[in-house]
Amino acid sequence: MEMYRKYIVVEGDSFSRGLKIGKELKVQIELNYQNQEKFYLDKEGFNYGRWGEMAMRYLPHIEKYAPEVLEELKGMAEGSGMDFKSILALTTAYEKSFARDMVKEKCTSFQVAGEATYAHKTIAGQTNEECFTEWLYPLDVVIHHIDGEHESLIYTHPGVPAYSGMNNHGLAVLWEYIDNGVVGDGVPTNVIIRRLLNLETVDEAIEFLQSIPHDIPNEFGIADKNGRIVSMECFPNKVYIEEGDSYLVHTNHIVIAKEEPEYTCSTATWDQYEVMEEQIRKNYGNIDVDMCKDFLKSHERFPNCICAHLCAERPWNKTFAAMVYDLSAGEMHIAFDNPCEAEYKKIRFRKYFL
C-alpha cells in the first residue's frame, strides 16, 4: 500500500477542483511546505514565510492572465486549511529557487512525430531531475482534472498547480529551466504551465506564451496529436520559437536563442542533450512508446546521464519521475522515481478527442 496518494481525480469548476485537491492532498501539501521552510532555513537562514508575503506581487499577473488558476489556488488553500500565502509560496517556489539554484542541471525532454516514429505517432516526454533536499519526491502525484468535456492529466508536486502534463484535446506541455541572466516581473512558471493545459491547440499555446510577461527564463515544449511539435524559449526580454519537422530535444541550455547569453551551463546539460538526440537519430523511423520509455532510462555518460542517480560527482540531484505522453492514443505513462527502477503506469482519459 502506498503511503501517499499518487493519482487523484478532481471534478467541477476551478475552485471546486482546487478545493478537492486541498482536501485529498492536505498532508502532502503541508509536508512540501514544511520541507521548503527547512530547506531555505538550512541553506540561507531564510524564513520561508517571508516568501509568501513577497509572492503576493504575482497576484495581479495571475489574475490578469490566468484567473481560473487563481481560483484553483484559492480552492486549494481552503481545502487544505492553509493560508493562501502559503499556497502562493509553493506555486511560485521555482521563482524563489531560480535565484540560487543550479538551473544548468535539471530535466531532459523530447518530442517525436511523423517520420521519426514507427506509426507516424506524436510522442513527447521528459524527466524531472531536481535536488532531493528541496522537494520530497515521494509526495509527487498525478492530478486528473475534469471540467465538463475538458480533462487534463498533470504531474506535479502537491501544492504546485502543474509541472508537466497533457489534456484530452491532444496537447502536451513540457518544461525546462534555462538562463540568459535576465529576470523580470511576470506570470509565475507553474501558473503558465497550468494555464497552457487548459488550451486546445499549439497555436493557442504559442499566442499565450507570446502575449504574457515572463518572470524568469524557461523553455516550454508544446506538442499535439496532429504532429505539431514546438519549442519556445521564453525570456523576460524576448520569446523565441522553433517548430520541428520530426523531432525536438531540450535540456537546460539555450538551444534556439543563440544571440542570448548563456548565463549558466554545464557538461551535464550538454551530455543529456547529445545522448537524447543520438538515441532519436539512431532509432529514427522506428520509435514507439516503449522505446521512448527506454530513452529516459539511459545511463550513458554517467554521472551526467538522463536517468540521474545520486553519486559523488552529483550528490544532490536525481530523477524524481519520467513521463511519456502518447498523444496519438491519449495516454500518459509515468514512472515515479528513477525509470530504470520504477514501473511505468498508464493513465487514460475518460474521453479523448481523436
Side-chain angles (χ1 to χ4, degrees):
M1 180 179 176
E2 291 177 326
M3 185 177 299
Y4 302 112
R5 304 290 299 275
K6 306 305 290 182
Y7 169 77
I8 66 168
V9 179
V10 296
E11 298 189 52
D13 61 19
S14 297
F15 183 85
S16 299
R17 285 181 281 109
L19 188 71
K20 189 169 183 182
I21 291 168
K23 289 179 177 179
E24 295 206 20
L25 299 179
K26 175 180 172 63
V27 172
Q28 284 156 261
I29 295 170
E30 288 175 341
L31 286 172
N32 264 335
Y33 185 82
Q34 290 165 10
N35 191 68
Q36 290 284 305
E37 287 184 308
K38 183 179 187 306
F39 177 79
Y40 283 106
L41 187 63
D42 291 347
K43 292 287 183 182
E44 303 172 5
F46 180 78
N47 179 350
Y48 195 65
R50 286 181 54 208
W51 179 246
E53 295 285 346
M54 295 164 70
M56 291 295 287
R57 75 176 181 87
Y58 293 108
L59 272 184
H61 296 299
I62 300 173
E63 190 167 22
K64 180 176 180 179
Y65 295 102
E68 75 279 24
V69 181
L70 179 58
E71 287 303 303
E72 194 174 299
L73 298 180
K74 290 177 179 177
M76 201 184 304
E78 183 171 323
S80 64
M82 294 176 66
D83 186 82
F84 175 77
K85 291 178 183 178
S86 298
I87 295 298
L88 189 61
L90 286 174
T91 295
T92 59
Y94 287 99
E95 279 61 45
K96 165 59 181 162
S97 69
F98 187 84
R100 55 145 302 278
D101 210 355
M102 295 290 286
V103 303
K104 61 190 178 182
E105 297 179 353
K106 291 289 183 179
C107 312
T108 303
S109 73
F110 71 90
Q111 304 175 64
V112 291
E115 293 181 355
T117 66
Y118 176 73
H120 283 242
K121 294 185 123 186
T122 308
I123 309 168
Q126 73 169 100
T127 58
N128 174 23
E129 179 190 335
E130 297 193 72
C131 173
F132 79 96
T133 61
E134 186 175 358
W135 293 102
L136 301 173
Y137 65 91
L139 304 178
D140 288 355
V141 66
V142 170
I143 302 174
H144 187 163
H145 288 262
I146 302 174
D147 183 4
E149 291 283 290
H150 188 92
E151 301 179 47
S152 298
L153 293 170
I154 298 173
Y155 160 78
T156 194
H157 307 310
V160 177
Y163 187 101
S164 175
M166 67 179 290
N167 66 37
N168 66 334
H169 292 274
L171 191 76
V173 179
L174 315 173
W175 165 50
E176 278 93 17
Y177 265 150
I178 49 177
D179 191 3
N180 70 338
V182 180
V183 293
D185 182 21
V187 185
T189 302
N190 301 96
V191 171
I192 293 173
I193 298 167
R194 182 66 192 91
R195 172 66 180 134
L196 287 170
L197 287 164
N198 283 341
L199 305 179
E200 297 183 9
T201 69
V202 168
D203 285 332
E204 287 177 343
I206 292 171
E207 182 181 359
F208 178 71
L209 290 172
Q210 289 177 328
S211 69
I212 63 172
H214 292 269
D215 196 77
I216 61 173
N218 289 298
E219 185 272 340
F220 300 102
I222 314 292
D224 73 15
K225 64 187 178 186
N226 297 317
R228 286 192 70 189
I229 54 174
V230 170
S231 174
M232 296 187 67
E233 293 181 344
C234 302
F235 304 95
N237 55 305
K238 192 171 181 180
V239 173
Y240 299 80
I241 181 170
E242 178 182 8
E243 186 153 357
D245 292 327
S246 57
Y247 77 88
L248 290 169
V249 174
H250 216 289
T251 51
N252 298 109
H253 61 272
I254 295 170
V255 175
I256 308 167
K258 301 297 187 182
E259 59 266 47
E260 295 292 334
E262 184 69 75
Y263 198 71
T264 57
C265 195
S266 72
T267 56
T269 180
W270 280 102
D271 281 344
Q272 291 167 338
Y273 181 92
E274 289 171 2
V275 168
M276 180 57 77
E277 193 168 50
E278 287 169 6
Q279 291 183 131
I280 291 172
R281 287 180 173 177
K282 181 180 177 181
N283 296 283
Y284 193 91
N286 295 304
I287 298 172
D288 59 15
V289 169
D290 287 337
M291 189 178 290
C292 289
K293 293 178 186 178
D294 288 339
F295 287 169
L296 299 180
K297 297 178 182 180
S298 173
H299 294 140
E300 190 173 343
R301 302 196 195 181
F302 181 86
N304 297 336
C305 44
I306 293 169
C307 183
H309 293 259
L310 301 180
C311 59
E313 296 87 348
R314 299 177 70 194
W316 307 113
N317 272 33
K318 74 177 296 295
T319 298
F320 286 9
M323 292 74 71
V324 174
Y325 304 111
D326 183 348
L327 295 170
S328 299
E331 296 173 348
M332 174 186 193
H333 301 261
I334 182 164
F336 289 103
D337 212 329
N338 286 90
C340 66
E341 299 171 346
E343 180 185 353
Y344 278 94
K345 305 290 187 182
K346 180 169 69 175
I347 307 173
R348 305 194 69 180
F349 298 100
R350 290 183 181 176
K351 179 179 181 180
Y352 192 64
F353 295 98
L354 292 171

